[in-house]
Structure formats: C-alpha cells, structure tokens
Amino acid sequence: MTGGSSAQTAAVEAVGLTKSFKSTVALRDCTITVPEGRICALVGPNGSGKTTLLRCLAGLARPSAGVVNVLGHAPGQDHEFLANVSFLAQDVPLWKRLTAKDHIAIGARLNPRWDTTGARHRLAQLEIPADKPVGTLSGGQRAQVGLALALAKKPKLLLLDEPLAALDPLARRHFLGVLAEDVSEGGLTVLISSHLITELHRVSDYLVLLAASRTQLCADVDDIIGSHRLVKCPGGGGERVPAGVKVVNSFRSARETTMLVRAGAASFEPECEVHSVGLEEIVLGYMSQGAPADLRLLHAQGGEG
Amino acid sequence: MIAFVVDSQSGVPPYLQLVQQVRQALRLGRLRVGDQLPTVKEVVARVAINPNTVLKAYRELERDQLVQGRPGQGTFVVQGLSGPGPDVFRELAHDLASWVQRARAAGLDDEGIQGLMDGAMRPADQAGVA
C-alpha cells in the first residue's frame, strides 16, 4: 500500500481551523492531519489560504477558531516550540548586505541546536559563495541559503511557502534533492506549498489541497491516486451516479458526461469507461470546482479526439 | 554503483522505475552479486524523490530476494536474475540496435518501428492471426 514508515504520530493536526481577517475568511473549518516523516505538498489556487495555514502552523498567526496542534504543542512564540519549527517565507527574508557565512554565524547564536558545519558544507557542495553579500546572489542561490539556514536549525517541522517559484528547473531539482536528503535521515516532517504539482509529486508522499478556504483533500498521495478515477458515461448520464460515489467535478456535452469521481468507480454501469487519473488532473479537478463549465476538466478532455 | 533516473512523466510509478532499473542492470551484468546499491539518502539527493519511494523499491527487491539490507552497512545484491547471461543480452541488444538502424535507414519512423516490434512480440500462437 503506502510507503509510509511512520503513519502513527501526527506532526501537524488541525481541527476546525478557521482564520478570518476583518471581512475575509482565509481558512474555514479546516481539518488536517500530516503524519510525521512525510513530505507534504500543500496545493491550491492563489488566495486559497495556503500561506495563512503555514503561518498558523508556525505560530505567526493565531486561529480565529479551532484547534491546532504542531508536534504535540499549540503553536506559539515560546522557545521550545520555535526551536523545533522552521518557516521559510516566500520572499526568503535575508539580510541582503550580509553574507551566507554571517547568516550562519547569527543563527548559531540564536538557536539552541545549530549545525554550522552542515550548513557550510551544503552551500559549498552547491558552489554557493558563502562570503558574498546574499543580495548579490541569484534567486536560486538565495533560496538555497534560506533552505540551508532553515535546515541548520535541525527542526522537526519545516514549513516552506512557495520555495520553488523563483527557481529554474535545475535549481528546483537541487532544492528538492537537498530537502529529500534531510528527510531521509529521519525525524523531519515538511510542508511545502507550490503550484508545481509535477515537481511536488516526485518528492512528496502526502498532499493537502485547499480550495475556497476549505480542505478538499488531505491524504497519502498513493491513496489519492488509487481512489480517484475519470469516468465517461454516454449521454447526459451524469444523473445516474451510483450510491456511495462522490463526484468531484463533471463536464457534460450533448453526447457524454465526464466525471472525476472519488471511490466506487467500479459501480458505474458497464457502458461507462473508467480511466485512472494522474495527480495533476485530480488536483485540477478539485481546483476547478465552481469554475465555469467550459473551463472544467480541460485536461480530462484533452486526450479525446 | 548504479545511478538511478526517474522520469516523472512516464506514467510508471517512480518506485517501479527504480525496481526495473535494478532488474535491467542485473540482466545486463552492470550489477553483480555482492554489489552495493546506493543508500536511500544518496538516491533522494541525486534524483529528488521521496525517501519512502526508494524504501518501497528496495523492499520489493528484497521480497524478490534479489537484494538484502544489512543494518548499518547498506543494501547488497545477493542474487542475479535467472535467464540468459549478460553476454547473451549484450549480443541481443547489439542485434536489435543494428536492426533499428536498418529500419531507420529504410525510412521508418518510431511509430512504424514500434508497430513492427509489437507485431513481432505477439505470442507465437497468435502471430499472423490479426
């Protein structure tokens, strides 16, 4: 079934998490569990609440309602909590005039556990100049410095907000390689938000999908792929959905109905075609719920002549 | 040591790609009994995949008794694949490569070559029936 070796303990647990800012609701009644030792992809359209969720988990935002538990504690600003959690914001906040070496030295003073040697070694391996002001480095190099610092802290939970956006394909590969390498040593759980589903799919084994401020999916990636199917039924047969089948999204034309369904695809009438479906299509199916009908499931339609 | 590659677009699950690459390396003699497979850490750092994917691949190879994990040491090849030896494989691969070359020279594109291959690979009792 799944490759998860430590599915028992949750690194992150949120129940009924709601966060509102004045008139807008960023997260609505979200329930999320991420087991320890996973690399969890956090995906969803812009404005779906990904950053807010990461900030709530990092203790940088306080939930308006609901319960959040991170590594067995309520997120906050206490030393014990902060020592175990690294959060790398999307803009990679570094002191532009200071060098990577300076940043590593500062980190060593501010953190109880700090792997100076490891951080320096990592940057040397990637041939990132450690004695140039970080403001003069490329976006990819700055992201690697940010990751090296976040990992030097030896966190148990690493929260990364859109770390891949500014990186070219090779830099992305290096970034994710470094990340996977650290996870392989054990004791680290990662939540990483990104729009790059194909890249995330390589490296992540768990997925949380937010759309319209709600949790749409929160599960093991293999289980998600295993439970979703694309079903094509002749005619406007979409109404004859067997009991127990959840239709995520559907597209109707005069002659056929195409549906992304979760679980129970086998119970459709035999005249319906059932296809397996990739992670990207599944995610797009959820993300386009509520989109105008002619924009839905464009991917699913793509293969048909 | 064997260097893995993973193609995320291929449709074959990544763990299976690793399993297939080990099997193929065994067939071709690039991996032999006693050889060590790269550690999980080395694989994920190189190809940027999830550590559990590598563990799953190695578990499957272990279940087939091709490799054995030795605590604190690594994962080692303990058995080759039954079947013709690497020499036979190399010879067949060579023949096939020169055949493909001839097919290309004759003006066949990849789709045409694939069609001929599929036809030739049909089980003997069905050959010529379609």
Side-chain angles (χ1 to χ4, degrees), chain A residues 1 3 180-181 185 202-203 205, chain B residues 6 8 41 47-50 52:
Chain A
M1 315 271 296
E181 189 180 2
E185 290 173 344
R202 272 179 93 95
V203 82
D205 54 358
Chain B
V6 168
S8 10
K41 190 176 155 172
V47 297
I49 53 172
N50 192 280
N52 285 326

Side-chain angles (χ1 to χ4, degrees), chain B residues 60-106:
Chain B
E60 175 138 337
L61 290 163
E62 237 175 300
R63 208 167 35 231
D64 295 346
Q65 294 172 358
L66 295 173
V67 306
Q68 191 182 58
R70 296 178 197 152
Q73 292 183 60
T75 304
F76 294 84
V77 177
V78 291
Q79 195 182 267
L81 279 171
S82 54
D87 291 349
V88 178
F89 267 100
R90 262 194 295 276
E91 200 185 312
L92 287 168
H94 184 262
D95 288 356
L96 191 58
S98 60
W99 181 86
V100 169
Q101 217 166 23
R102 266 173 52 215
R104 290 228 169 96

Side-chain angles (χ1 to χ4, degrees), chain B residues 99-126:
Chain B
W99 181 86
V100 169
Q101 217 166 23
R102 266 173 52 215
R104 290 228 169 96
L108 252 69
D109 60 6
D110 286 359
E111 193 181 309
I113 292 174
Q114 189 67 51
L116 284 180
M117 283 298 288
D118 290 348
M121 284 176 71
R122 227 179 290 144
D125 59 329
Q126 282 180 30

Side-chain angles (χ1 to χ4, degrees), chain A residues 1-5 37-39 173 176-177 180-181 183-185 198 202-205 222, chain B residues 5-9 14 40-42 44-53 55-56 59:
Chain A
M1 315 271 296
T2 74
S5 51
R38 300 301 192 107
I39 301 180
R173 180 62 63 85
L176 294 174
E181 189 180 2
V183 171
S184 76
E185 290 173 344
T198 310
R202 272 179 93 95
V203 82
S204 53
D205 54 358
D222 287 347
Chain B
V5 289
V6 168
D7 175 4
S8 10
Q9 313 285 348
V40 173
K41 190 176 155 172
E42 285 164 349
V44 301
R46 235 186 84 84
V47 297
I49 53 172
N50 192 280
N52 285 326
T53 304
L55 287 172
K56 190 172 173 183
R59 271 204 302 270

